[in-house]
Amino acid sequence: NEGPATPRSFRTEKTPALPPSSSLASAGPRSHDPGHLSGQFFFEYLVVVGLKRKAEAGSYEPQITYQFPKRDSLAKFQKEEEEKSLKAIALFCFPEGVNWAPLTEYPSETFSFVLTEVDGSRRNGYCRRLLPSGRGARPPEAYCIISRLACFGLFSKIFDEVEKRRQKSMAMIYPFMQSLREAPVPAPGNTVKITSFIPESGTEIISLTRPVDSRLEHVDFRALFRCLGDEEVLEVFAATVLERRIIFIADELSTLSQVLHAVAALLYPFAWQHTFISIVPTVLIDVVMAPTPYLLGITSRMRDSITDTSDVSGRQVTIATSCCLCCAGTEDEDTIIPPKLQEELLQALGSRKKNSTEEELNKVVSEAFLSFFVKTVGHFTGHVRRRGGSQTAIFHKEKFCKAAEPKANRPFVTLFSKTQMFDIFIQHVERNPHQEGFFHKKIAAYQKAEKTKGGWARGRVV
């Protein structure tokens, strides 16, 4: 349902690395290993959100019309928290506000958002909006699944099954979702099969497979590269990696959610630590005034709300549906990344095939940016020292910055070392100095290759 899209204007302001903002709705996706969810429920809720006409002409209010499973045995405080959560979910399903008109045609679209709880835990909302069956003009409705699992492709397939059953009868959704809820979440690369009966069609077996690489199962880079050219992707990456304020504007909700999650994924093995709202509801539009870093998605119809606000100085990336490109002047995003590494990134991105599959593109893009971090900050392993008689370690930041090679990388490394995402990453390393993951393996392979060529190499934790 989404066509090619391109940015038309940028506006940027440098902001210092500040502590994480108290997000009104959500903070950045931080977990890079969803595999720990294996064996848990696929989802917590399925809700159907309709638009109820209000007394004001042309005014509608999102309202939950169906919920599965129902939780009737909650304590009072739990019920109050659930009601707040469900109200927020309804707003994210229809973020554009209350002004709707009945429609006779409405192409379905799927998008996602992130909810952050008071304790910092995160839940993913997957939403499909469509026009309910019936005659005459009517407002759309939304199906929303809330899950701890971040896997957009998997839930898109689940929505296909829900939509197929909804066309026959609302009652047919319940047994399918019950079977899904009872099924364990498969480990990355594995498949779970759901048996479901449909009248007139008989018993169906639905296979749901998680990608082998769990780092990218919530990401599809195709939307990002339809919206931005390679050079613009690097500029947005530069602004993101230094934790600035960035606003994305698009017509379609699906485009917004896919682009924002793709931008966040470029940061691996680091993670965005600040406000992250892939689709900002109208009632939360004041978040654009926040002085702290953010990644925000704004629908085009809300654009006037931010362009009329003189205090909004974040970088704005406007995503249209045409293939033309026109960018206003930017500040330093095109010079933050060292020139040689810029060339290498552009060369790596340019190597992708024109008609790459989702998996092929994800591999090319993720490896290009992971290689960038290996070359710029991979030598951190040589500046982590074990504390005497302790299982923890200490990181020597000043020595790390001065040791960056080649020297042309040092300005970037110094700036990046001051970000919240780098600080959180290093804190984890200090607490778990001998815990080595995918990033460490890539660093070791690179350093071995460099040593073989006679280049520089860095040591490990001692």
Side-chain angles (χ1 to χ4, degrees):
N1 297 314
E2 30 180 284
T6 314
R8 287 184 296 189
S9 66
F10 297 148
R11 190 147 60 97
T12 180
E13 178 186 352
K14 290 179 281 188
T15 55
L18 298 172
S21 58
S22 54
S23 170
L24 294 170
S26 62
R30 300 179 191 174
S31 174
H32 290 305
D33 183 15
H36 70 280
L37 291 164
S38 299
Q40 296 188 18
F41 286 136
F42 259 99
F43 67 97
E44 295 182 12
Y45 291 112
L46 165 70
V47 297
V48 179
V49 182
L51 288 172
K52 181 183 179 182
R53 185 188 291 273
K54 299 175 70 175
E56 299 88 350
S59 180
Y60 288 83
E61 180 181 16
Q63 188 175 79
I64 292 177
T65 60
Y66 176 87
Q67 175 186 334
F68 173 81
K70 287 199 176 284
R71 301 169 66 186
D72 298 321
S73 58
L74 296 176
K76 183 179 179 181
F77 78 93
Q78 291 175 316
K79 194 168 186 62
E80 289 174 351
E81 287 301 314
E82 183 183 65
E83 287 175 357
K84 290 178 184 177
S85 182
L86 292 174
K87 188 173 290 187
I89 290 168
L91 287 174
F92 277 102
C93 288
F94 289 95
E96 302 94 332
V98 299
N99 295 319
W100 282 87
L103 305 166
T104 55
E105 292 184 2
Y106 183 83
S108 66
E109 61 178 336
T110 306
F111 56 93
S112 65
F113 53 87
V114 180
L115 294 173
T116 300
E117 307 303 322
V118 176
D119 62 1
S121 61
R122 287 168 181 76
R123 296 185 295 170
N124 300 286
Y126 302 94
C127 187
R128 176 166 294 183
R129 291 205 318 207
L130 47 83
L131 204 60
S133 56
R135 295 182 178 180
R138 53 210 183 276
E141 64 182 7
Y143 291 76
C144 184
I145 295 175
I146 303 299
S147 174
R148 301 282 176 183
L149 180 64
C151 190
F152 187 85
L154 197 69
F155 283 94
S156 290
K157 185 172 183 180
I158 291 171
F159 275 130
D160 292 341
E161 298 297 329
V162 169
E163 189 172 347
K164 183 165 66 176
R165 285 156 179 76
R166 175 66 179 91
Q167 290 171 356
K168 294 180 179 292
S169 168
M170 194 73 180
M172 293 182 59
I173 296 176
Y174 171 82
F176 169 69
M177 296 305 292
Q178 181 64 40
S179 297
L180 182 65
R181 187 168 169 79
E182 293 171 353
V185 176
N190 290 1
T191 299
V192 65
K193 294 185 177 181
I194 309 295
T195 302
S196 178
F197 178 78
I198 299 181
E200 302 175 4
S201 300
T203 300
E204 289 187 352
I205 297 177
I206 300 143
S207 296
L208 299 172
T209 303
R210 287 181 67 186
V212 175
D213 189 349
S214 62
R215 295 179 301 120
L216 299 174
E217 63 182 339
H218 194 52
V219 178
D220 183 349
F221 286 115
R222 290 177 297 182
L224 177 63
F225 284 91
R226 282 199 301 267
C227 298
L228 300 170
D230 293 357
E231 291 82 2
E232 285 71 46
V233 169
L234 292 195
E235 290 183 17
V236 171
F237 170 70
T240 307
V241 84
L242 293 188
E243 298 181 332
R244 296 180 176 175
R245 298 189 293 256
I246 310 173
I247 300 171
F248 294 82
I249 305 171
D251 294 332
E252 298 181 352
L253 302 179
S254 51
T255 300
L256 279 176
S257 64
Q258 288 181 31
V259 167
L260 264 81
H261 280 99
V263 168
L266 299 177
L267 301 173
Y268 180 86
F270 305 94
W272 184 258
Q273 300 294 326
H274 302 275
T275 301
F276 178 99
I277 311 180
S278 57
I279 299 169
V280 178
T282 303
V283 295
L284 295 180
I285 192 62
D286 285 349
V287 72
V288 302
M289 305 284 287
T292 50
Y294 54 58
L295 288 176
L296 304 177
I298 305 291
T299 58
S300 297
R301 67 170 68 180
M302 293 167 62
R303 182 170 185 166
D304 289 344
S305 300
I306 61 173
T307 54
D308 291 342
T309 307
S310 60
D311 290 335
V312 177
S313 53
R315 179 190 186 96
Q316 296 180 21
V317 182
T318 304
I319 304 171
T321 53
S322 64
C323 295
C324 61
L325 172 66
C326 178
C327 301
T330 61
E331 291 193 8
D332 63 345
E333 280 85 5
D334 57 346
T335 62
I336 290 171
I337 300 174
K340 186 174 186 299
L341 293 178
Q342 277 200 48
E343 291 178 14
E344 291 179 3
L345 278 169
L346 290 172
Q347 186 176 2
L349 295 176
S351 69
R352 67 186 186 275
K353 299 176 184 176
K354 186 175 181 180
N355 297 314
S356 298
T357 64
E358 177 183 341
E359 292 76 16
E360 290 171 340
L361 181 60
N362 282 3
K363 182 177 181 181
V364 169
V365 175
S366 63
E367 288 187 355
F369 286 92
L370 182 61
S371 177
F372 169 82
F373 285 121
V374 167
K375 293 175 181 178
T376 52
V377 298
H379 62 289
F380 81 88
T381 56
H383 300 278
V384 181
R385 297 288 183 265
R386 279 281 298 274
R387 301 175 189 268
S390 172
Q391 294 299 312
T392 60
I394 186 168
F395 174 67
H396 297 280
K397 182 188 287 189
E398 187 175 345
K399 292 180 180 179
F400 160 77
C401 292
K402 290 181 178 179
E405 292 290 347
K407 290 183 178 180
N409 291 358
R410 291 180 189 175
F412 170 80
V413 172
T414 300
L415 287 171
F416 183 60
S417 70
K418 299 174 183 178
T419 63
Q420 190 77 25
M421 70 180 81
F422 183 78
D423 189 48
I424 295 296
F425 176 85
I426 289 299
Q427 286 180 32
H428 178 78
V429 170
E430 289 177 326
R431 290 193 301 268
N432 308 276
H434 289 291
Q435 187 180 89
E436 297 191 355
F438 186 67
F439 187 45
H440 287 77
K441 293 176 182 177
K442 286 289 186 180
I443 292 170
Y446 174 72
Q447 291 176 350
K448 183 178 180 180
E450 287 295 297
K451 191 173 182 179
T452 301
K453 293 191 300 184
W456 63 274
R458 300 289 182 235
R460 289 181 171 276
V461 176
V462 295

